Amino acid sequence: MPFDAMVVSVAVVVMFLAFAAVLLWGDLQTRPDRLKGDSNSPKRRSF
């Protein structure tokens, strides 16, 4: 396998891993458990 092809393959794998990490972080930020924990703070009325 040529060196250039290995470099491109590694770059593609790294990009997919970074995308997966961003999706995992976003999922952890929007879990119902986390949102429920934030609901203890006093709420402001919109009017």
Side-chain angles (χ1 to χ4, degrees):
M1 184 181 238
F3 180 72
D4 293 342
M6 289 192 309
V7 170
V8 170
S9 299
V10 168
V12 169
V13 169
V14 166
M15 290 304 294
F16 274 109
L17 288 175
F19 184 63
V22 168
L23 288 180
L24 179 64
W25 177 79
D27 184 43
L28 290 175
Q29 294 297 315
T30 57
R31 287 272 165 110
D33 311 352
R34 185 171 178 88
L35 295 175
K36 203 181 310 175
D38 291 342
S39 67
N40 292 339
S41 61
K43 297 218 187 280
R44 292 185 165 202
R45 297 191 180 238
S46 60
F47 56 87

